[in-house]
């Protein structure tokens, strides 16, 4: 299957700082990338959908000024958590889908802890 | 509102038996239904996709059925092994390609 690499796999940051998470499709061009958040023992909650070269579409209740998404190329999308607070601590996962494909392939996830 | 339920939060099964997981949905007309495996602290791994006009899909020891009348999918693992222990997620996709996930079933295969 296609490979999606997410980096870093874990990060600890101080409250008030910003953190950037990268999501790369290694062996295919990802026309669409999705960012999810997952709380312990809960399902994945879609935060936003991004298409290469255009602005991300955010789900209701997700602050776009807080969770900045950039999908500048067909192989890279980034999620920046700005002015992070402890309540932003969570598991963030990206997924990518190639043009014409219906399966979405997931990154390994990033465990963010804000202290 | 759209709702996806995986009726067992946890399922224990003896090694060698067939594990059957259920995914039910309401207020939704999916074009595709997918099953993923997720291990603790890891992202989901794609297993199988089935389209709305398909009844059954198989891959090695895995089988998925899709009944759009009952609004239900069944996911079977035959000859289960302890290595199959994980959380299994179903996800539905409509024409917008937005994926909606169920809450998952934690499967534990006992040796």
């Amino acid at each position: 299957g296609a490979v999606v690499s997410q980096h870093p796999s874990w990060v600890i940051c101080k409250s008030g700082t910003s953190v950037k998470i990268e999501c790369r499709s290694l062996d295919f061009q990802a026309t669409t990338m999705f960012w999810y958040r997952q709380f312990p023992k809960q399902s994945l909650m879609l935060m936003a959908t991004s298409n290469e070269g255009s602005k991300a579409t955010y789900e209701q209740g997700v602050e776009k000024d807080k969770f900045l998404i950039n999908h500048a190329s067909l192989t890279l999308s980034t999620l920046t958590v700005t002015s992070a607070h402890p309540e932003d601590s969570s598991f963030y996962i990206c997924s990518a889908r190639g043009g014409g494909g219906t399966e979405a392939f997931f990154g390994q996830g990033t465990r963010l802890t804000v202290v | 509102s759209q709702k996806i339920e995986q009726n067992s939060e946890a399922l224990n099964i003896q090694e060698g038996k067939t594990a059957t997981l259920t995914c039910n949905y309401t207020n939704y007309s999916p074009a595709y239904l997918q099953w993923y495996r997720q291990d603790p602290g890891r992202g989901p791994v794609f297993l199988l996709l089935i389209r709305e006009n398909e009844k059954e899909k198989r891959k090695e020891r895995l089988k998925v059925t899709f009944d759009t009348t009952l609004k239900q999918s069944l996911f079977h693992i035959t000859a289960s092994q302890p290595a199959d222990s994980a959380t299994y997620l179903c996800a539905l996709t409509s024409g917008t390609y937005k994926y909606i996930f169920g809450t998952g079933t934690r499967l534990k295969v006992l040796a």
Side-chain angles (χ1 to χ4, degrees):
Chain A
V3 179
V4 174
S5 177
Q6 189 173 337
H7 178 81
S9 56
W10 61 270
V11 58
I12 301 173
C13 71
K14 289 185 177 179
S15 189
T17 61
S18 295
V19 173
K20 181 185 280 188
I21 302 169
E22 290 188 352
C23 181
R24 294 180 184 272
S25 57
L26 298 186
D27 52 2
F28 69 103
Q29 292 185 326
T31 51
T32 306
M33 284 189 171
F34 306 90
W35 285 95
Y36 295 86
R37 185 173 180 175
Q38 187 176 34
F39 292 103
K41 295 188 178 181
Q42 293 190 26
S43 190
L44 283 72
M45 183 193 80
L46 180 65
M47 298 174 66
T49 303
S50 73
N51 293 296
E52 184 264 340
S54 60
K55 289 184 180 179
T57 301
Y58 289 81
E59 294 299 300
Q60 193 172 13
V62 178
E63 298 176 62
K64 59 182 177 183
D65 293 331
K66 181 166 188 61
F67 299 100
L68 301 179
I69 291 171
N70 184 281
H71 191 168
S73 77
L74 283 171
T75 59
L76 174 64
S77 176
T78 60
L79 167 68
T80 302
V81 183
T82 62
S83 187
H85 288 96
E87 56 265 32
D88 298 325
S89 299
S90 190
F91 192 53
Y92 292 88
I93 311 173
C94 72
S95 73
R97 186 178 61 83
T102 50
E103 302 94 334
F105 298 95
F106 285 80
Q108 308 95 311
T110 297
R111 171 72 57 193
L112 170 64
T113 303
V114 184
V115 297
Chain B
S1 62
Q2 297 166 348
K3 199 174 180 182
I4 302 174
E5 285 183 330
Q6 293 186 243
N7 64 343
S8 297
E9 185 178 328
L11 177 67
N12 290 343
I13 193 165
Q14 208 64 37
E15 182 177 9
K17 300 291 185 184
T18 296
T20 299
L21 285 63
T22 305
C23 177
N24 294 290
Y25 59 93
T26 55
N27 297 325
Y28 202 68
S29 296
Y32 311 96
L33 187 146
Q34 303 174 66
W35 284 89
Y36 289 84
R37 169 184 173 140
Q38 187 176 26
D39 291 286
R42 307 289 292 175
V45 174
F46 172 76
L47 296 175
L48 279 169
L49 176 147
I50 188 165
R51 292 173 169 76
E52 60 178 335
N53 60 350
E54 297 176 320
K55 296 292 184 187
E56 184 179 297
K57 211 64 162 311
R58 290 175 185 260
K59 179 183 175 182
E60 297 173 352
R61 294 185 295 113
L62 309 179
K63 185 178 86 171
V64 171
T65 63
F66 194 11
D67 189 326
T68 54
T69 301
L70 290 177
K71 296 187 184 294
Q72 181 182 80
S73 174
L74 299 178
F75 177 77
H76 306 273
I77 306 175
T78 58
S80 58
Q81 305 165 1
D84 295 326
S85 299
T87 295
Y88 291 86
L89 302 163
C90 67
L92 277 67
T93 310
S94 67
T96 62
Y97 295 117
K98 188 185 290 188
Y99 298 83
I100 299 176
F101 282 83
T103 49
T105 295
R106 284 196 314 280
L107 174 68
K108 188 170 184 180
V109 181
L110 306 169

